[in-house]
Each structure stands twice: as structure tokens, then as C-alpha cells.
Amino acid sequence: MRQIGYVSKIDTLGRVVIPKPVRQMFNLEKEDSIEILPKDNGLLIRKYQPTCLFCGESDLINNDKFICSNL
């Protein structure tokens, strides 16, 4: 994947716009949730994928309880 850099400012309410080409590249749609994780040299921003509280799988999650149907 080719590295592309974008610069966005944080607005007065603390929001950052993710540029459209980046949203398209990572299949981010309106109303999707993202998670922001601290890293030693910056932040990791990725699409949020809920996982089972017990086994860590993300395929068979019950939307309300974050427990997969395997249990």
C-alpha cells in the first residue's frame, strides 16, 4: 500500500476530519465507530470491531452483550 499523508486540524470542539480518500480506503461509512489507541510514537485510529469478552472472536457477537454465540 502506498503511504499517503494528510494534515487535519482539530477544531474548537476537538473533532478531526478523516479525509474522504482515507475513509474510502478503510471502508469507513457514516455512523461507523472508530477506536483511538495511544502508541509510543503517536495514535492508532482504526475501525471499531467489537469482540467477545471471553474468547476475543469478532465474528459471532451478540450486539448487546459482546458475547459470541459459541458460549
Side-chain angles (χ1 to χ4, degrees), residues 30-69:
K30 290 181 182 177
E31 305 297 321
D32 280 349
S33 294
I34 60 169
E35 59 182 333
I36 302 169
L37 305 166
K39 293 292 182 181
D40 289 338
N41 59 348
L43 298 171
L44 170 65
I45 300 173
R46 63 183 177 196
K47 192 171 186 175
Y48 177 65
Q49 289 283 73
T51 57
C52 176
L53 294 172
F54 298 103
C55 71
E57 292 292 323
S58 62
D59 294 337
L60 306 169
I61 298 298
N62 175 323
N63 291 336
D64 297 345
K65 301 188 181 7
F66 299 106
I67 299 172
C68 70
S69 59

